[in-house]
Amino acid sequence: MDDSRIKYAEAFKYIAKATNSSLPLTKVLNSIAKNTTKALRAAGCAIMLLSPQKEHLNIIAAHGLSDLYLRKGIVNARKSLPDILDGKVVTIFDISQDEQTQYPEAAETEKIGSIIGAPLLQKGDIIGEVRVYGKEPKHFSKGDADFLTTVANIIAVTLERNNLYQMLTKAERPEKTSRRKKSTETPKPTPQSLRQSIFGHPSEEEFAKLLDFYRLEWLYEPRSFPLAWENGKVTEMFTPDFYLPDLDLYIELTTLKQSLVTEKNRKVRRLQELHPEINIKLLNKNDYLKLLAKYGYRAAGGAKVEGINRVLLSHTQIQRRVQALAEQISRDYAGRQLVLIGVLKGVICFMSDLMQHISLPLAIDFMAITSYGSGTESAVKITKDLDTDIANLHVLMVEDIVDTGMTLNYILGHLSSFKPATLRVCTLLDKRIRRLADVPLDYIGFEIPDEFVVGYGLDYHGEYRNLPFIGGLEPKLIEEEQLK
Ligand code: IMP
Ligand code: MG
């Protein structure tokens, strides 16, 4: 056996031992990071999990790296070694000559020359990455890549097993099962026990849960800011608790203990002097409830928006998708006379956002309808017809949601009688499983499960239209309704 094979074998001996020990999960992961570093004669190793929206990386364990390097800034999975997200092992021979690293200066200060990274895969899904940092420029061998791939597999199995254990120990108290759980869009949250160990304080965990509920992306302590130096050495550092990429905001949580508040205030002020471009807020629980309310994430005062049982699509998810749809529409209708037609009232939020992102001259018009009965028995009556003549124009029917398709089917029949040049449909939501009428949909924002949703224009008895996200209604509310 050559020397490196002996190193791999030695590492696996300790990794297997740690994995099969009764140590807490973070200790096991740190031990894996340490033995991986040694086997590859590297400077350090970090194990990172992808955030729910799969955009950022959260460090969950590490070895050999300084806090300043580990928390150098927000690690964007699509910018930093993006090929790992395609399931590949990525090596960088010389960081100073490479464009795939997000923080080359930090690597230089840390005296890191090279990187090898591998994806953590669970049943074919990428859930995170393991990265090893070399001391100098280095060609990692095929053997190194195979070794790291095996380490990545062990980490993934360890996380999975930990999740399973959590589920089994919770089994006496089964959660209410409902068909809601089937949605494919629900992100996999961080394993509970891992969560408890990464957070320094229960209030941080509580805050993270709230952010998860609203599907707001968060990173825990992703960046350390040096605040004071002596003889070129950092003597004071500040690591804010959270970063919320959607709001570009750092958050430091605080309790009501005055001595701590004063000290944290001083650090926040110092940080703002040094980095005026950084947005940071020092918040206690009341403050963060207010902050979330300001962004529409909470009914003022209440714990969660009353009657909403979960958030299906966050404000940011909706905005991104609407922008992408608008770009596609702008390309497809270039050079044509476009008219957007919406049916009141549910479509107002979608129509308003969509049209602002379409980069073509266009006209808009609205119709209003009422419907009677349900399912195949339902009949639709137009209460407000178009103001404009759409003959020979290119009409794009904009819908909030297509459910059975009966409404749309009726409206398309009505609109085609005016002989537009073309007639297409753009819907934000598609509840395909419920379809009765076979209507062609040309642009679809999101396919959603069979669940009654509200928000972003959609209502339940006239309420909830002003929520900036789309949420599921508490099943109890609907059941009560059906019993009436
Ligand atoms: P369809 O005729 O069954 O396709 O129903 C379409 C209309 O029903 C939409 O324009 C909405 O007004 C309403 N609708 C269907 N599903 C939902 C929902 O989940 N939330 C709110 N309104 C809905
Ligand atoms: Mg902290």
Side-chain angles (χ1 to χ4, degrees), residues 346 378 399-408 431 434-435 448 451-454 458-460:
S378 78
E399 268 281 22
D400 46 359
I401 183 165
V402 181
D403 186 18
T404 63
M406 304 301 280
T407 316
L408 184 60
K431 245 194 235 178
R434 302 240 315 158
R435 198 64 37 83
I448 62 162
E451 176 173 352
F452 196 85
V453 294
V454 293
L458 292 164
D459 74 314
Y460 180 65

Side-chain angles (χ1 to χ4, degrees), residues 68-87:
L68 209 53
Y69 186 72
L70 280 176
R71 313 209 182 280
K72 57 195 176 291
I74 314 308
V75 184
N76 187 321
R78 290 176 215 281
K79 285 193 189 141
S80 165
L81 316 193
D83 288 348
I84 299 181
L85 285 189
D86 292 332

Side-chain angles (χ1 to χ4, degrees), residues 125-163:
D125 268 355
I126 297 182
I127 58 158
E129 302 182 4
V130 52
R131 294 184 181 189
V132 177
Y133 304 84
K135 288 172 201 149
E136 56 266 316
K138 171 178 171 163
H139 280 297
F140 289 98
S141 66
K142 168 86 171 46
D144 292 340
D146 289 345
F147 168 74
L148 195 64
T149 303
T150 309
V151 169
N153 282 325
I154 295 173
I155 296 168
V157 171
T158 306
L159 292 170
E160 172 92 67
R161 190 194 59 166
N162 184 72
N163 257 353

Side-chain angles (χ1 to χ4, degrees), residues 204 221 239 241 252:
E204 295 171 348
E221 298 193 339
T239 309
D241 297 323
E252 175 68 10

Side-chain angles (χ1 to χ4, degrees), residues 460 475 477-484:
Y460 180 65
L477 276 185
I478 304 171
E479 282 155 20
E480 275 165 15
E481 169 79 4
Q482 282 165 349
L483 288 175
K484 269 180 203 167

